[in-house]
């Protein structure tokens, strides 16, 4: 159950009325659709790094209005994939979601770079889970290679999240959603024009908490729960008619018990000739020489069958944890040099930290345990800056954009992550616990994956297009 109350705020009265949802449909492939009985709804997109009407953009794009996101209940990447052709999402943990477009995923780009990059307020950032899909001006999915105008080159596509900017209307809303498993979500926004057309402020928040629906029979935890707090604060400043500066701060804190793992099968083959090399490491480690066949795999599978799909087991003493803290500051400054030339600068500073502990095998045996003894297992800091020059020439028949992009990504501190397992001295003999560091560096650089490695990206871009006829926003 969800109730949304828009607050129309005035100087002498506050009017609260129940809100009736307006029908809205996602825009796709530069086609506009009717939003209500009042006519066509105009959607302004930034697929080519400048504001344009959707129906004039020659790009494979699917765009969603705020009403469309609400109507279709799009709150995560797994929801979004049902409404965008060619888009898929996958997740290793409940809230760690990644996009795939046209077969390209997180490491599908050239040199192992991301095949799909997400943007928030025109700045690349590494997030797509819950806590983002609220108080947006629009959400755009660009299919196909993006590199001519996007400094962060991608081969699959890009997903753009554009937050609502402050306006001249004194307004806001508050929404409460309730559900089973003690679900309660509170979401709201407040827009305040401090000085009309000069200084505008908008704040928004989204808090979502829910009990887990998977029971860990070893530790007693409820897994697959949800608990996140998301906040934004945007300020628009227009000291003159030809200059505008928009700055937005956003943060997300999520703290859950992690994801439940369901054990489905175990290779329990025992070589009839007793040749251990033909057997799996699991059998060599956890099955004694006798009896044969070994009863351990059957017992583990029986435990899972009794627990059902919403039951899970972990190594004793390993309590699930999935904690994420991310925040960033984006500053977009625009200055009209002339009536036909605009200079725009987009600066971004982002921090992403993650702490993860969970059992990857779904058994109460130390087979594959992902642990973090202390601190974060991921800690990254990112700086980006993009300078653009936009304009029109030849009596408005030629529209052009050019500029430069710079990105610097580096570790934000020492990170350590370990895999806990069980090692065997000899096949079917004495075992010992073993801990292996898989992500560790004194400077915080991760040994695996690009997330913790220092990277620099530099790019120049220039593009022009010919426009026939009057098109003031092309």
């Amino acid at each position: 159950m969800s109730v949304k109350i828009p607050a129309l705020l005035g100087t002498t009265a506050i009017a609260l009325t129940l809100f009736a949802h307006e029908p809205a449909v996602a825009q796709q492939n530069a086609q506009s659709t009717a939003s209500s009985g009042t006519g066509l709804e105009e959607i302004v997109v930034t697929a080519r790094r400048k504001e344009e009407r959707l129906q004039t953009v020659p790009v494979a794009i699917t765009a969603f209005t705020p009403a469309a996101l609400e109507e279709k209940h799009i709150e995560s990447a797994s929801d979004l994939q049902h409404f965008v052709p060619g888009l898929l999402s996958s997740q290793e943990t409940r809230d760690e979601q990644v996009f795939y477009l046209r077969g390209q995923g997180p490491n599908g780009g050239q040199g192992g770079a991301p095949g799909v990059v997400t943007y928030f307020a025109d700045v690349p950032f590494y997030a797509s889970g819950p806590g983002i899909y609220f108080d947006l001006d629009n959400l755009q999915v660009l299919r196909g290679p993006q590199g001519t105008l996007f400094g962060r080159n991608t081969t699959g596509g890009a997903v753009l999240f554009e937050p609502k900017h402050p306006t001249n209307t004194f307004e806001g809303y508050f929404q409460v959603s309730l559900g089973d498993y003690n679900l309660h979500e509170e979401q709201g926004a407040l827009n305040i024009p401090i000085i009309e057309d000069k200084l505008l402020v908008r704040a928004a928040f989204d808090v979502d908490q829910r009990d887990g629906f998977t029971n860990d029979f070893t530790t007693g935890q409820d897994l697959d729960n949800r608990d996140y707090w998301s906040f934004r604060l945007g300020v628009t400043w227009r000291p003159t008619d030809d200059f505008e500066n928009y700055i937005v701060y956003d943060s997300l804190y999520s703290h859950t018990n992690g994801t439940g793992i369901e054990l489905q099968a175990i290779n329990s083959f025992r070589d009839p000739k007793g040749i251990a090399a033909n057997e799996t490491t699991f059998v060599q480690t956890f099955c004694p020489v006798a009896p044969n066949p070994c009863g351990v795999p059957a017992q583990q599978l029986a435990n899972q069958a009794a627990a059902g799909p919403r039951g899970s087991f972990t190594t004793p003493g390993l309590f699930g944890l999935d904690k994420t803290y991310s925040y960033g500051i984006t500053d977009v400054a625009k200055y009209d040099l002339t009536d036909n030339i605009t200079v725009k600068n987009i600066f971004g500073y982002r921090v992403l930290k993650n702490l993860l502990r969970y059992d990857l095998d779904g058994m109460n045996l130390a087979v594959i345990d992902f642990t973090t003894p202390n601190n974060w297992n991921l800690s990254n800091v990112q700086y980006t800056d993009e300078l653009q020059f936009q304009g029109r020439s030849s009596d408005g028949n030629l529209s052009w954009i050019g500029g430069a992009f710079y990105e610097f990504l580096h570790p934000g501190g020492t990170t350590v992550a370990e895999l806990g397992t069980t090692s065997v001295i000899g096949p079917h003999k004495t075992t010992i616990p073993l801990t292996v560091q898989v992500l560790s560096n004194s400077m915080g650089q991760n040994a695996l994956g690009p997330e913790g490695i220092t990277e620099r990206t530099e790019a120049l871009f220039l593009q022009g297009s010919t426009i026939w006829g009057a098109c003031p926003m092309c």
Side-chain angles (χ1 to χ4, degrees), residues 85-259:
L87 177 69
L88 294 174
S89 71
S90 69
Q91 51 192 125
E92 181 178 347
T93 62
R94 178 63 53 182
D95 291 337
E96 184 182 341
Q97 302 174 335
V98 294
F99 289 113
Y100 287 81
L101 270 169
R102 296 184 174 180
Q104 303 295 311
N107 298 311
Q110 184 177 7
V116 179
V117 173
T118 52
Y119 284 76
F120 179 81
D122 288 334
V123 170
F125 80 131
Y126 297 91
S128 56
I132 308 170
Y133 298 76
F134 72 99
D135 202 47
L136 297 175
D137 263 339
N138 60 68
L139 190 161
Q140 307 165 47
V141 180
L142 316 182
R143 301 188 296 280
Q146 309 294 325
T148 304
L149 298 176
F150 286 81
R152 194 74 165 117
N153 187 40
T154 67
T155 54
V159 181
L160 317 182
F161 296 87
E162 187 61 37
K164 272 190 175 295
H165 290 217
T167 67
N168 274 314
T169 304
F170 194 21
E171 63 181 0
Y173 75 90
F174 179 73
Q175 176 175 297
V176 178
S177 299
L178 302 175
D180 54 1
Y181 293 96
N182 291 321
L183 166 69
H184 58 95
E185 179 183 10
E186 296 81 30
Q187 183 185 124
L190 180 63
N191 191 92
I192 305 175
I194 297 179
I195 304 177
E196 186 175 0
D197 284 332
K198 299 292 184 181
L199 186 60
L200 315 173
V201 177
R202 185 179 186 89
F205 71 93
D206 184 25
V207 177
D208 193 350
Q209 296 174 312
R210 187 202 65 218
D211 294 341
F213 48 76
T214 301
N215 181 33
D216 187 333
F217 284 90
T218 304
T219 64
Q221 286 183 298
D222 59 325
L223 307 178
D224 295 304
N225 64 319
R226 174 170 287 184
D227 187 358
Y228 70 78
W229 302 65
S230 187
F231 174 76
R232 292 181 198 145
L233 178 63
V235 178
T236 297
W237 180 46
R238 299 190 190 101
T240 64
D241 292 338
D242 50 16
F243 178 79
E244 176 182 301
N245 191 88
Y246 170 65
I247 186 170
V248 56
Y249 168 83
D250 67 280
S251 68
L252 171 66
Y253 178 76
S254 175
H255 190 144
T256 71
N257 296 331
T259 303

Side-chain angles (χ1 to χ4, degrees), residues 268-276 278-279 292:
S268 58
F269 172 75
R270 293 293 295 265
D271 190 279
K273 297 181 180 181
I275 302 176
N278 294 333
E279 301 171 347
N292 188 2

